[in-house]
Amino acid sequence: MNWFKKLFSSLKSDNTSDNNIKIADEDYFIDLEEKLLTFDCGLEFSEYLIENIKKPPNPLKGEFTTKQVEEKITNLCKETLQNAYKPNNFNTKNKRIIFITGVNGSGKTTSIGKLAYFFKNLNKKILIAPCDTFRAAAGEQLEKWANRSNVSFHSPSQGKNQRPDSVLFEAITKMKTENFDMLLVDTAGRLQNKKELMDELARLSKVIEKHSDSNIEIDRWLVIDATTGQNGYQQAVAFNEVSPLSGLILTKFDGSAKGGIVFAISHKLKIPIKFIGIGEQIDKLEIFNPEKFVEEIFS
């Protein structure tokens, strides 16, 4: 059962009209808002959905049938994803730096390996920069992913204890001198409320801005574990304040369970979702397609 069907199958209305059509009474709407919250849609987006059911230009007057409510919410969710979506330009000849951030356990390192594999298959020359020098084994894990993806890995000149901003500067220099098409930058997993780590993130972002050429596109993507729900939304808010995000990667996504976080982020932050992780294998990273996504969860 998909996300949408599971949501509405759990709602109940004891009232029926003369022609046996279910009527959405006040208890139904209270139940609906509670269910939207359990599906990680967040309070603001849940209230937005319910309030806009009754808004012009086509307000529903009098009694609401549950069918009308479902159709209206379907359309509002579609609009929400479309409003945040931005077409990808991965096949251009422009060079690109993708700066990857996220908290520990979100699937950041794995996502970088999958991204490397994805872009390698687009005939891009890829370099990975291990700027997570905080976690001892991070560089080794990332290098394994680079080898699996058959892409280049930047080994810091001063070893494991080198400052992250120094590693990043070396990698950018290598990207330019050795003519790489793309640089994927790993960063230390950090909690959004740890000021010293967030400050480090801001410094790394400034290094990219300072040392990149004008012909290099810069992306800042946050990796979010979709199962963390509203905590994932708070992560997006905090990281976006430190280093404005241009995209999101949702990992461990299971459309049959929750998934409302997709709509909450798109509605409030307008940050486009770039990829969705759907498995552990190296090729289990899909470009986010709003139309396909909507078809799957609303079919």
Side-chain angles (χ1 to χ4, degrees):
M1 183 181 295
N2 65 30
W3 180 89
F4 188 71
K5 288 182 179 179
K6 187 172 182 180
L7 168 64
F8 280 100
S9 68
S10 63
L11 295 171
K12 296 179 180 179
S13 178
D14 294 329
N15 299 327
T16 58
S17 64
D18 293 338
N19 59 357
N20 205 35
I21 297 176
K22 289 185 178 180
I23 301 301
D25 56 15
E26 188 59 30
D27 288 339
Y28 176 90
F29 282 108
I30 293 173
D31 193 20
L32 173 59
E33 184 168 357
E34 291 177 352
K35 292 298 189 298
L36 286 168
L37 292 173
T38 65
F39 279 72
D40 292 332
C41 288
L43 179 60
E44 185 170 342
F45 184 62
S46 300
E47 290 178 342
Y48 163 80
L49 289 177
I50 292 175
E51 289 173 3
N52 277 272
I53 290 172
K54 305 176 183 180
K55 274 190 175 181
N58 296 307
L60 299 176
K61 297 180 180 180
E63 293 182 330
F64 300 83
T65 68
T66 57
K67 182 66 174 178
Q68 286 175 311
V69 173
E70 292 181 22
E71 290 176 351
K72 188 72 173 179
I73 287 182
T74 300
N75 291 331
L76 288 169
C77 285
K78 287 180 180 179
E79 291 174 7
T80 297
L81 293 183
Q82 290 291 351
N83 289 340
Y85 177 71
K86 292 182 180 178
N88 298 308
N89 58 346
F90 297 145
N91 288 313
T92 67
K93 294 183 179 179
N94 295 344
K95 296 183 181 300
R96 184 188 298 266
I97 295 176
I98 302 180
F99 188 57
I100 305 293
T101 60
V103 303
N104 284 325
S106 62
K108 182 167 53 65
T109 301
T110 301
S111 294
I112 292 175
K114 292 178 179 179
L115 285 172
Y117 179 81
F118 173 85
F119 287 117
K120 176 72 173 180
N121 287 335
L122 293 181
N123 297 317
K124 303 292 185 182
K125 185 179 180 183
I126 311 295
L127 177 65
I128 294 179
C131 293
D132 180 0
T133 59
F134 183 78
R135 188 166 58 94
E140 290 86 345
Q141 291 176 352
L142 197 62
E143 188 170 11
K144 289 180 181 178
W145 275 105
N147 292 334
R148 289 179 63 187
S149 306
N150 194 27
V151 302
S152 296
F153 178 83
H154 173 68
S155 296
S157 62
Q158 301 171 34
K160 298 179 181 179
N161 297 322
Q162 188 170 344
R163 286 171 53 93
D165 52 352
S166 175
V167 176
L168 180 55
F169 171 74
E170 288 181 354
I172 294 174
T173 301
K174 184 174 183 178
M175 176 190 186
K176 293 189 289 188
T177 57
E178 299 186 22
N179 199 31
F180 282 92
D181 297 311
M182 186 172 293
L183 173 63
L184 303 179
V185 181
D186 187 24
T187 58
R190 63 204 73 218
L191 296 175
Q192 65 268 29
N193 58 356
K194 295 294 184 180
K195 184 178 185 303
E196 66 276 14
L197 288 175
M198 296 301 275
D199 288 345
E200 178 190 279
L201 187 65
R203 286 195 297 271
L204 290 173
S205 185
K206 290 179 180 178
V207 169
I208 292 178
E209 294 174 357
K210 182 177 180 179
H211 298 287
S212 297
D213 293 337
S214 58
N215 66 330
I216 298 178
E217 296 183 16
I218 301 172
D219 281 308
R220 296 174 174 86
W221 293 352
L222 175 67
V223 177
I224 293 179
D225 179 343
T227 65
T228 60
Q230 284 303 296
N231 185 262
Y233 173 79
Q234 296 303 325
Q235 291 169 24
V237 171
F239 279 85
N240 191 47
E241 291 176 351
V242 174
S243 181
L245 300 170
S246 59
L248 298 173
I249 300 174
L250 290 179
T251 61
K252 309 172 190 177
F253 182 78
D254 181 1
S256 66
K258 294 194 175 183
I261 186 67
V262 173
F263 302 106
I265 290 174
S266 296
H267 171 67
K268 181 63 176 178
L269 302 179
K270 299 296 189 295
I271 301 171
I273 300 165
K274 296 296 183 179
F275 289 89
I276 292 184
I278 56 173
E280 293 297 322
Q281 294 82 2
I282 197 169
D283 60 344
K284 295 301 182 181
L285 189 71
E286 290 188 352
I287 292 179
F288 180 75
N289 183 316
E291 293 183 4
K292 179 181 178 182
F293 182 83
V294 168
E295 287 175 1
E296 289 180 352
I297 69 170
F298 291 100
S299 60

